């Protein structure tokens, strides 16, 4: 018998409504990538990544835009966490 460990992260609202700051990409064969804000149940801000089951490829020429957008998403996630903490 083998042991199996599973880690689950519950997001609010589980990535159902991507933040306007999101980064979305569709690769050459139609696989999609979504990066958006995440807010953990304890109020910790994070970044949510979702791809199709086959994963998604990003050309290196698009990497600078992705890196820049990651900071925008991180800032938006922190703002969401700060807003939720005040509410």
């Amino acid at each position: 018998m083998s042991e199996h460990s599973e880690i689950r992260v519950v997001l609010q609202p589980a990535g159902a409504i991507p933040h306007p700051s999101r980064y979305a990409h569709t690769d050459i064969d139609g696989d999609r990538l979504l990066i958006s804000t995440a807010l953990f149940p304890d109020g910790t801000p994070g970044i949510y990544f979702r791809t199709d089951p086959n994963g998604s490829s990003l050309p290196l020429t698009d990497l600078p835009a992705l890196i820049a957008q990651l900071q925008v998403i991180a800032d938006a996630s922190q703002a969401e966490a700060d807003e939720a903490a005040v509410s």
Side-chain angles (χ1 to χ4, degrees), residues 21-45:
S21 68
R22 71 185 170 270
Y23 180 88
H25 172 77
T26 303
D27 70 11
I28 195 164
D29 60 350
D31 298 317
R32 296 167 298 169
L33 167 66
L34 172 69
I35 305 173
S36 190
T37 61
L39 186 60
F40 292 91
D42 68 356
T44 302

Side-chain angles (χ1 to χ4, degrees), residues 41-63:
D42 68 356
T44 302
I47 297 178
Y48 172 74
F49 293 84
R50 183 173 69 203
T51 67
D52 287 339
N54 291 333
S56 182
S57 301
L58 183 79
L60 289 180
T61 56
D62 291 354
L63 188 59

Side-chain angles (χ1 to χ4, degrees), residues 57-79:
S57 301
L58 183 79
L60 289 180
T61 56
D62 291 354
L63 188 59
L66 171 59
I67 292 169
Q69 196 61 28
L70 280 172
Q71 188 59 59
V72 171
I73 294 166
D75 293 343
S77 187
Q78 184 64 60

